[in-house]
Amino acid sequence: MTIMQKVLWLIASIGNFLAGYFYMYSQSFFSFILLFVTLTYSIIGLHDIFYSRHALNRLYPVVAYLRYFLESYRVEVQQYFIANDTEELPFNREQRSLVYQRSKNERDTIAFGTQRNLLEENYLSLWHSMAPTHVKESAKRVVIGSERCQQPYSASYLNISAMSFGSLSTNAIEALNLGAKKAGCYHNTGEGGASPYHLKHGGDIVWQLGTGLFGCRDEQGRFNPSSFEVTAKLPQVKMIEVKLSQGAKPGHGGVLPKEKITDEIARIRHIPKGKDCISPAINPECTSPKALLAFIEQLRVLSGFKPIGFKLCVGNPAEFLSLCKAMLETGITPDFITIDGAEGGTGAAPIEFSNRLGVTCLEGIYIVNNALIGVGLRDKIKIIAAGKTASSFDLLAKIAAGADVVNAARTMMMAIGCIQSRHCNTNLCPTGIATQDPIRSKAVNIVNKSERVKNFHHNTLASFFELVGSMGLDDPTKLVPQMVKRRSPYGVQMSMGSLVAPLAANALVEPLLNTLDLDETWRHWWEKSSAEQFYVDDLFILKSPEFHRAKKN
């Protein structure tokens, strides 16, 4: 018998007897409270011992509830009282504070020096120039659209990443879109489709077609060209993005918990209520590389030749090379490719998928950028980076790795008030952002929060351009991977890169370069890839770059 079981039996017997005896002879308020407490404790405790399904309640009656209560506030206690400024994940306090300060136009400087360990393994940093300069005004926008595109789009270096209506509340979507309009950037709809709240304020829209094809699906869940064409030709819709996979849950369809599915969402998405909305893992129109490209060409024509691209989290690099082979064989290329990272955010995902699948954003960008260079298509296709972006350095690192522009999601949510409570999948968001509870969502002041989106965007870009200038560059397009330094396990700084060597232009398609200079990793991936299917066996054994070079030399 545990100590708390003994305590229960003492209170249930002697305690109740003494409390009852005291009440009978004093009739005081205190004696009544004492009797009430002992009886309540006894009833709850006896129920725990004989009827509870939980072993903890049976062994520690009544007091076990204290443990459940404290556990329910563990995240908040950890966040506010225990964690230091640089140790929380996914965004630590330093990163969150930076977003809040910039979104409110408050002071974003620090005093007394860095709190980071600059010598820690994998720490990223930059080498500055003794000749700092200013970024040219003409270099502060990026045009997206190849020769097949008749309506190219001039994009900001920082934009609002994919977040669906359904995952986010109506007010949150409106605040983000109005903020995008004020900031001069685009707002990705997420796979939930272009809802009225995305379109209400006239901010530039990137319409994402998820694997569920919400907003342009028929009764069987297949693509409906007619409904697509109506939305795609709206003036607010500047680009269309086909989602193949998401960084936080690659290989898994989007998840909208049933608690968040209102009548309106069910109508917009054309889905039933009462059960979780789980999108298929693969887009039914994009089951092979050539099928994806044919779908892109179909969307290009239906949209009036607006920029069309696709989004993915990189997995086996050989499978992306399969896409490159299909581009070469068909002559069809997307206008842009969005690279999401395994560190990306989500409203709901299985923990194994978020923790263990996919390539990080910097590695994914590096692979895709080199692959496109190697097949001679890099000048035709823009790369958009998603993943995790809190500061101007995060933005710069992605551009240096090979991206043209960057999307941010969670930090844009923080700009409108998100506190990283991690209740996005419960419909109980304490700030009214990631919920469909109309009472909670009213807490988001659309006009006020849109100003904060604009401020965060403006201040982060200003810092980014200043950071680029500090390196002696007047144009962000001059950034290259080797300009970002990574602290090696040996304590020295190395240029940022992946396990594989960079490719020379056309190295994968020109026989002479392919024979003489092609790294064995790229050679294996290229030989195994196929334009007819995505899947490639992941059999190549990756080794550290020094082993490759030592063997080659």
Side-chain angles (χ1 to χ4, degrees):
M1 186 178 292
T2 66
I3 292 177
M4 296 316 302
Q5 287 175 328
K6 293 176 181 178
V7 169
L8 172 64
W9 289 116
L10 284 172
I11 292 175
S13 55
I14 299 175
N16 283 328
F17 174 77
L18 292 176
Y21 181 82
F22 180 47
Y23 177 71
M24 287 176 59
Y25 283 91
S26 69
Q27 297 291 313
S28 65
F29 179 73
F30 175 75
S31 63
F32 171 76
I33 293 297
L34 181 62
L35 179 60
F36 177 78
V37 169
T38 58
L39 285 172
T40 302
Y41 191 98
S42 301
I43 293 170
I44 295 174
L46 292 171
H47 174 273
D48 285 348
I49 286 178
F50 293 108
Y51 299 105
S52 178
R53 294 175 297 172
H54 304 290
L56 198 64
N57 289 73
R58 287 176 175 267
L59 294 173
Y60 302 96
V62 184
V63 294
Y65 294 105
L66 180 62
R67 187 250 187 195
Y68 300 141
F69 173 78
L70 294 175
E71 187 181 41
S72 69
Y73 287 97
R74 187 191 66 81
V75 173
E76 289 79 3
V77 171
Q78 174 79 14
Q79 185 180 77
Y80 296 127
F81 302 109
I82 298 176
N84 66 35
D85 287 350
T86 60
E87 70 178 5
E88 284 183 274
L89 292 174
F91 292 87
N92 60 45
R93 179 167 292 278
E94 181 184 75
Q95 293 170 317
R96 298 198 308 274
S97 296
L98 179 65
V99 176
Y100 299 145
Q101 289 159 352
R102 286 182 171 166
S103 67
K104 297 175 184 178
N105 271 337
E106 295 178 351
R107 183 178 62 245
D108 61 357
T109 56
I110 62 172
F112 219 67
T114 181
Q115 296 185 66
R116 300 299 185 98
N117 176 11
L118 304 186
L119 299 177
E120 73 177 359
E121 187 177 335
N122 288 321
Y123 190 83
L124 298 181
S125 60
L126 306 171
W127 287 357
H128 68 284
S129 170
M130 294 179 66
T133 185
H134 297 284
V135 172
K136 301 178 294 186
E137 286 299 319
S138 60
K140 292 185 177 181
R141 305 284 293 188
V142 178
V143 176
I144 301 176
S146 61
E147 65 272 9
R148 287 280 291 154
C149 176
Q150 296 178 8
Q151 301 183 56
Y153 177 70
S154 176
S156 168
Y157 271 99
L158 179 63
N159 303 279
I160 302 175
S161 196
M163 291 177 282
S164 303
F165 170 55
S167 180
L168 268 56
S169 66
T170 57
N171 283 28
I173 293 293
E174 287 193 44
L176 289 170
N177 189 256
L178 183 57
K181 183 178 182 180
K182 293 178 178 179
C185 66
Y186 65 71
H187 177 197
N188 192 304
T189 66
E191 69 169 297
S195 73
Y197 309 103
H198 286 98
L199 304 171
K200 182 176 180 180
H201 298 284
D204 291 347
I205 286 294
V206 174
W207 181 20
Q208 184 183 95
L209 302 187
T211 57
L213 297 172
F214 302 124
C216 57
R217 56 187 271 150
D218 58 22
E219 295 293 336
Q220 289 72 44
R222 298 302 299 266
F223 178 64
N224 185 327
S226 300
S227 58
F228 169 81
E229 186 173 7
V230 170
T231 303
K233 288 187 175 179
L234 292 174
Q236 301 101 309
V237 177
K238 304 299 182 181
M239 302 194 293
I240 291 95
E241 177 182 86
V242 179
K243 175 184 169 183
L244 302 182
S245 59
Q246 179 180 347
K249 49 193 172 195
H252 192 286
V255 179
L256 182 64
K258 61 184 178 183
E259 293 81 7
K260 286 188 170 185
I261 302 177
T262 63
D263 291 333
E264 183 179 33
I265 291 170
R267 185 175 64 255
I268 291 173
R269 294 197 178 198
H270 205 77
I271 57 174
K273 287 184 64 179
K275 64 178 182 178
D276 295 344
C277 174
I278 302 178
S279 304
I282 187 170
N283 191 309
E285 308 298 325
C286 310
T287 55
S288 71
K290 289 185 176 179
L292 168 61
L293 296 176
F295 188 51
I296 286 174
E297 187 63 20
Q298 182 184 10
L299 299 183
R300 181 175 280 142
V301 174
L302 290 171
S303 67
F305 294 89
K306 292 181 178 181
I308 312 292
F310 61 87
K311 172 183 177 178
L312 81 163
C313 176
V314 177
N316 186 349
E319 297 189 357
F320 183 79
L321 290 176
S322 295
L323 263 171
C324 293
K325 281 188 175 179
M327 293 178 200
L328 294 174
E329 290 185 18
T330 63
I332 301 171
T333 57
D335 296 286
F336 65 91
I337 299 173
T338 302
I339 307 301
D340 204 357
E343 73 277 20
T346 180
I351 190 169
E352 297 88 352
F353 281 72
S354 287
N355 286 353
R356 303 295 177 180
L357 282 183
V359 169
T360 63
C361 192
L362 288 179
E363 291 172 326
I365 297 166
Y366 183 87
I367 290 168
V368 169
N369 182 54
N370 274 285
L372 294 177
I373 291 172
V375 296
L377 295 175
R378 183 63 180 89
D379 61 333
K380 298 177 180 291
I381 302 169
K382 291 292 189 290
I383 296 176
I384 302 174
K388 178 181 175 182
T389 303
S391 69
S392 58
F393 175 78
D394 299 332
L395 176 58
L396 185 148
K398 291 180 172 66
I399 301 295
D404 293 289
V405 300
V406 173
N407 292 347
R410 287 169 291 181
T411 45
M412 292 295 181
M413 290 172 62
M414 290 176 189
I416 62 174
C418 171
I419 60 173
Q420 192 174 279
S421 68
R422 293 184 290 167
H423 288 93
C424 311
N425 59 338
T426 66
N427 206 34
L428 299 175
C429 173
T431 58
I433 296 172
T435 181
Q436 293 306 310
D437 184 330
I439 297 176
R440 290 175 181 266
S441 65
K442 285 181 181 178
V444 179
N445 184 300
I446 296 170
V447 175
N448 176 270
K449 299 301 185 182
S450 69
E451 282 294 315
R452 294 193 178 184
V453 171
K454 181 196 75 173
N455 292 340
F456 173 67
H457 178 272
H458 172 80
N459 291 327
T460 302
L461 277 185
S463 176
F464 166 68
F465 293 131
E466 186 176 14
L467 205 56
V468 172
S470 74
M471 300 169 68
L473 306 177
D474 62 1
D475 189 335
T477 60
K478 295 180 180 180
L479 290 164
V480 291
Q482 52 266 36
M483 291 179 179
V484 180
K485 315 302 180 185
R486 184 186 297 274
R487 186 71 64 177
S488 76
Y490 314 109
V492 298
Q493 288 187 321
M494 300 171 61
S495 297
M496 180 181 70
S498 89
L499 290 173
V500 292
L503 286 176
N506 298 304
L508 293 173
V509 293
E510 292 187 4
L512 183 61
L513 288 173
N514 196 315
T515 303
L516 299 178
D517 299 323
L518 193 60
D519 178 86
E520 67 170 313
T521 309
W522 285 110
R523 187 193 307 278
H524 173 86
W525 288 338
W526 183 247
E527 290 173 353
K528 295 297 181 182
S529 61
S530 168
E532 304 302 327
Q533 65 176 31
F534 284 117
Y535 180 77
V536 178
D537 289 326
D538 184 11
L539 301 178
F540 184 75
I541 301 174
L542 286 172
K543 298 183 287 290
S544 295
E546 55 262 35
F547 292 112
H548 285 288
R549 297 190 185 100
K551 182 179 178 181
K552 190 173 182 179
N553 294 335

